[in-house]
Coordinates of all heavy atoms in Angstrom, one line a residue:
Chain A
S38 N -162.6 22.4 -148.2 CA -162.9 23.8 -148.4 C -161.8 24.5 -149.2 O -160.7 24.1 -149.1 CB -163.2 24.5 -147.1 OG -162.0 24.6 -146.3
Y39 N -162.2 25.6 -149.9 CA -161.2 26.3 -150.6 C -160.5 27.4 -149.7 O -161.2 28.1 -149.0 CB -161.9 27.1 -151.8 CG -162.0 26.2 -153.0 CD1 -163.1 25.3 -153.1 CD2 -161.1 26.4 -154.1 CE1 -163.2 24.5 -154.3 CE2 -161.3 25.6 -155.2 CZ -162.3 24.7 -155.3 OH -162.4 23.9 -156.4
V40 N -159.2 27.4 -149.8 CA -158.4 28.5 -149.1 C -158.5 29.7 -150.0 O -158.6 30.8 -149.5 CB -157.0 28.1 -148.9 CG1 -156.1 29.2 -148.4 CG2 -156.9 26.8 -148.1
C41 N -158.5 29.5 -151.3 CA -158.6 30.6 -152.2 C -158.8 30.1 -153.6 O -158.3 29.0 -154.0 CB -157.2 31.3 -152.1 SG -156.5 32.0 -153.6
H42 N -159.7 30.8 -154.4 CA -159.9 30.4 -155.7 C -159.0 31.2 -156.7 O -158.5 32.2 -156.4 CB -161.4 30.8 -156.1 CG -162.4 29.9 -155.5 ND1 -162.9 30.2 -154.2 CD2 -163.0 28.8 -155.9 CE1 -163.8 29.2 -153.9 NE2 -163.9 28.4 -154.9
R43 N -158.8 30.5 -157.8 CA -158.0 31.2 -158.8 C -158.6 32.6 -159.1 O -159.8 32.7 -159.3 CB -158.0 30.3 -160.1 CG -157.2 30.9 -161.3 CD -157.6 30.1 -162.5 NE -157.1 30.8 -163.7 CZ -156.0 30.6 -164.3 NH1 -155.2 29.6 -163.9 NH2 -155.7 31.3 -165.4
G44 N -157.7 33.6 -159.2 CA -158.2 34.9 -159.5 C -158.4 35.8 -158.3 O -158.5 37.0 -158.3
D45 N -158.5 35.1 -157.1 CA -158.7 35.9 -155.8 C -157.4 36.6 -155.5 O -156.3 36.2 -155.9 CB -159.0 34.9 -154.7 CG -160.4 34.4 -154.7 OD1 -161.2 34.9 -155.6 OD2 -160.8 33.6 -153.9
K46 N -157.6 37.7 -154.8 CA -156.5 38.5 -154.3 C -156.2 38.0 -152.9 O -157.1 38.1 -152.0 CB -156.8 40.0 -154.3 CG -155.6 40.8 -154.1 CD -155.2 41.5 -155.4 CE -154.3 42.7 -155.2 NZ -152.9 42.4 -155.2
L47 N -155.1 37.4 -152.6 CA -154.8 36.9 -151.3 C -153.4 37.4 -150.9 O -152.4 36.8 -151.3 CB -154.9 35.4 -151.3 CG -154.7 34.7 -149.9 CD1 -155.8 35.1 -149.0 CD2 -154.6 33.2 -150.0
D48 N -153.3 38.4 -150.1 CA -152.1 39.1 -149.8 C -151.3 38.5 -148.6 O -150.9 39.2 -147.7 CB -152.3 40.6 -149.6 CG -152.4 41.3 -150.9 OD1 -151.9 40.8 -151.9 OD2 -153.1 42.4 -150.9
Y49 N -151.3 37.2 -148.6 CA -150.6 36.5 -147.5 C -149.6 35.5 -148.0 O -149.9 34.7 -148.9 CB -151.6 35.9 -146.5 CG -152.4 36.8 -145.8 CD1 -153.7 37.2 -146.2 CD2 -151.9 37.4 -144.6 CE1 -154.5 38.1 -145.5 CE2 -152.7 38.3 -143.9 CZ -154.0 38.6 -144.3 OH -154.7 39.5 -143.6
W50 N -148.5 35.4 -147.4 CA -147.5 34.3 -147.6 C -147.9 33.3 -146.6 O -148.2 33.6 -145.4 CB -146.1 34.8 -147.4 CG -145.1 33.8 -147.8 CD1 -145.0 33.1 -149.0 CD2 -144.0 33.3 -146.9 NE1 -143.9 32.3 -149.0 CE2 -143.3 32.3 -147.7 CE3 -143.6 33.5 -145.7 CZ2 -142.2 31.7 -147.3 CZ3 -142.5 32.9 -145.2 CH2 -141.8 31.9 -146.0
T51 N -148.1 32.0 -147.1 CA -148.8 31.0 -146.2 C -147.9 29.8 -145.9 O -147.3 29.3 -146.8 CB -150.0 30.6 -147.0 OG1 -150.8 31.7 -147.3 CG2 -150.9 29.7 -146.1
G52 N -148.0 29.4 -144.7 CA -147.4 28.1 -144.3 C -148.4 27.2 -143.7 O -149.3 27.6 -143.1
V53 N -148.1 25.9 -143.9 CA -149.0 24.9 -143.4 C -148.6 24.5 -142.0 O -147.5 24.0 -141.8 CB -149.0 23.6 -144.3 CG1 -150.0 22.6 -143.7 CG2 -149.4 24.0 -145.7
V54 N -149.5 24.7 -141.0 CA -149.2 24.2 -139.6 C -149.5 22.8 -139.5 O -148.7 21.9 -139.1 CB -150.0 25.0 -138.6 CG1 -149.7 24.6 -137.2 CG2 -149.8 26.5 -138.8
T55 N -150.8 22.4 -139.8 CA -151.2 21.0 -139.9 C -152.1 20.9 -141.1 O -152.8 21.8 -141.5 CB -151.9 20.6 -138.6 OG1 -153.2 21.3 -138.5 CG2 -151.1 20.7 -137.4
G56 N -152.2 19.7 -141.6 CA -153.1 19.4 -142.7 C -152.4 19.2 -144.0 O -151.2 18.9 -144.1
L57 N -153.2 19.4 -145.1 CA -152.7 19.1 -146.4 C -153.4 20.0 -147.4 O -154.6 20.1 -147.4 CB -152.9 17.7 -146.8 CG -152.2 17.1 -148.1 CD1 -150.7 17.3 -148.0 CD2 -152.6 15.7 -148.2
V58 N -152.6 20.7 -148.3 CA -153.3 21.7 -149.2 C -152.9 21.3 -150.6 O -151.7 21.0 -150.9 CB -152.8 23.1 -148.9 CG1 -153.4 24.1 -150.0 CG2 -153.3 23.5 -147.6
K59 N -153.9 21.3 -151.5 CA -153.6 21.0 -152.9 C -153.5 22.4 -153.7 O -154.4 23.2 -153.6 CB -154.7 20.2 -153.5 CG -154.5 19.9 -155.0 CD -155.6 18.9 -155.5 CE -156.9 19.5 -155.7 NZ -157.9 18.6 -156.4
I60 N -152.5 22.5 -154.5 CA -152.3 23.7 -155.3 C -152.5 23.3 -156.8 O -151.7 22.6 -157.3 CB -150.9 24.3 -155.1 CG1 -150.7 24.6 -153.7 CG2 -150.7 25.5 -156.0 CD1 -149.3 24.8 -153.2
S61 N -153.6 23.7 -157.4 CA -153.9 23.2 -158.7 C -154.5 24.3 -159.6 O -154.8 25.4 -159.2 CB -155.0 22.1 -158.6 OG -156.2 22.6 -158.0
A62 N -154.6 24.0 -160.9 CA -155.2 24.9 -161.9 C -155.9 24.1 -162.9 O -155.7 22.9 -163.0 CB -154.0 25.8 -162.5
I63 N -156.6 24.8 -163.7 CA -157.3 24.2 -164.8 C -156.6 24.5 -166.1 O -156.4 25.7 -166.4 CB -158.8 24.7 -165.0 CG1 -159.5 24.7 -163.6 CG2 -159.5 23.9 -166.0 CD1 -159.7 23.3 -163.1
S64 N -156.1 23.5 -166.8 CA -155.4 23.7 -168.0 C -156.3 24.2 -169.2 O -157.5 24.2 -169.0 CB -154.7 22.4 -168.5 OG -155.7 21.5 -169.0
R65 N -155.7 24.7 -170.2 CA -156.5 25.3 -171.3 C -157.5 24.2 -171.9 O -158.6 24.5 -172.3 CB -155.6 25.8 -172.4 CG -156.3 26.9 -173.2 CD -155.4 27.5 -174.3 NE -154.0 27.5 -173.9 CZ -153.1 27.9 -174.7 NH1 -153.4 28.4 -175.9 NH2 -151.8 27.9 -174.4
S66 N -157.1 23.0 -171.8 CA -157.9 21.9 -172.4 C -159.0 21.6 -171.4 O -159.8 20.7 -171.6 CB -157.1 20.7 -172.7 OG -156.3 20.3 -171.6
G67 N -159.0 22.2 -170.2 CA -160.1 22.0 -169.3 C -159.8 21.0 -168.2 O -160.7 20.7 -167.4
K68 N -158.6 20.4 -168.3 CA -158.3 19.4 -167.3 C -157.7 20.0 -166.1 O -156.9 20.9 -166.1 CB -157.3 18.4 -167.9 CG -158.0 17.3 -168.8 CD -156.9 16.4 -169.4 CE -156.4 17.0 -170.7 NZ -155.5 16.1 -171.4
A69 N -158.2 19.5 -164.9 CA -157.6 20.0 -163.7 C -156.3 19.3 -163.5 O -156.1 18.1 -163.7 CB -158.6 19.6 -162.5
M70 N -155.3 20.1 -163.1 CA -154.0 19.5 -162.8 C -153.4 20.1 -161.6 O -153.4 21.3 -161.3 CB -153.1 19.5 -164.0 CG -152.7 20.8 -164.6 SD -151.8 20.5 -166.1 CE -150.1 21.0 -165.7
T71 N -152.8 19.3 -160.8 CA -152.1 19.7 -159.6 C -150.7 20.0 -159.8 O -150.0 19.3 -160.5 CB -152.2 18.5 -158.6 OG1 -153.6 18.2 -158.4 CG2 -151.6 18.9 -157.3
F72 N -150.3 21.2 -159.3 CA -148.9 21.6 -159.4 C -148.1 21.2 -158.2 O -146.9 21.0 -158.3 CB -148.8 23.1 -159.6 CG -149.3 23.6 -160.9 CD1 -150.3 24.4 -161.1 CD2 -148.6 23.2 -162.0 CE1 -150.7 24.8 -162.3 CE2 -148.9 23.6 -163.3 CZ -150.0 24.4 -163.4
A73 N -148.8 21.1 -157.1 CA -148.0 20.8 -155.9 C -149.0 20.5 -154.7 O -150.1 20.8 -154.8 CB -147.1 22.0 -155.5
G74 N -148.4 19.8 -153.8 CA -149.2 19.6 -152.6 C -148.3 20.2 -151.4 O -147.1 20.2 -151.6
A75 N -148.9 20.7 -150.4 CA -148.1 21.2 -149.3 C -148.6 20.7 -148.0 O -149.8 20.7 -147.7 CB -148.2 22.8 -149.3
G76 N -147.7 20.1 -147.2 CA -148.0 19.6 -145.9 C -147.4 20.4 -144.9 O -146.9 21.5 -145.1
P77 N -147.4 19.9 -143.6 CA -146.9 20.7 -142.5 C -145.4 21.1 -142.8 O -144.6 20.3 -143.2 CB -146.9 19.6 -141.3 CG -148.0 18.7 -141.7 CD -148.0 18.6 -143.2
G78 N -145.1 22.4 -142.6 CA -143.8 22.9 -142.8 C -143.6 23.4 -144.2 O -142.5 23.8 -144.6
G79 N -144.6 23.3 -145.1 CA -144.5 23.8 -146.4 C -145.0 25.2 -146.6 O -145.9 25.6 -145.9
W80 N -144.3 26.0 -147.4 CA -144.7 27.4 -147.6 C -144.9 27.7 -149.0 O -144.2 27.2 -149.9 CB -143.5 28.2 -147.1 CG -143.4 28.1 -145.6 CD1 -142.6 27.1 -145.0 CD2 -144.0 28.9 -144.6 NE1 -142.7 27.2 -143.6 CE2 -143.5 28.3 -143.3 CE3 -144.8 30.0 -144.6 CZ2 -143.9 28.9 -142.1 CZ3 -145.2 30.5 -143.4 CH2 -144.8 30.0 -142.1
F81 N -145.9 28.6 -149.3 CA -146.2 28.9 -150.7 C -146.9 30.3 -150.7 O -147.2 30.9 -149.7 CB -147.2 27.9 -151.3 CG -148.4 27.7 -150.5 CD1 -149.5 28.5 -150.7 CD2 -148.5 26.6 -149.6 CE1 -150.7 28.3 -149.9 CE2 -149.6 26.4 -148.9 CZ -150.7 27.2 -149.0

Side-chain angles (χ1 to χ4, degrees):
Chain A
S38 65
Y39 275 80
V40 175
C41 142
H42 288 85
R43 178 193 164 98
D45 283 355
K46 194 104 162 91
L47 184 67
D48 282 332
Y49 291 93
W50 187 53
T51 307
V53 180
V54 183
T55 62
L57 189 61
V58 176
K59 177 173 74 168
I60 301 162
S61 63
I63 311 293
S64 72
R65 206 178 326 179
S66 51
K68 277 177 275 189
M70 61 189 250
T71 300
F72 286 117
W80 294 86
F81 54 85

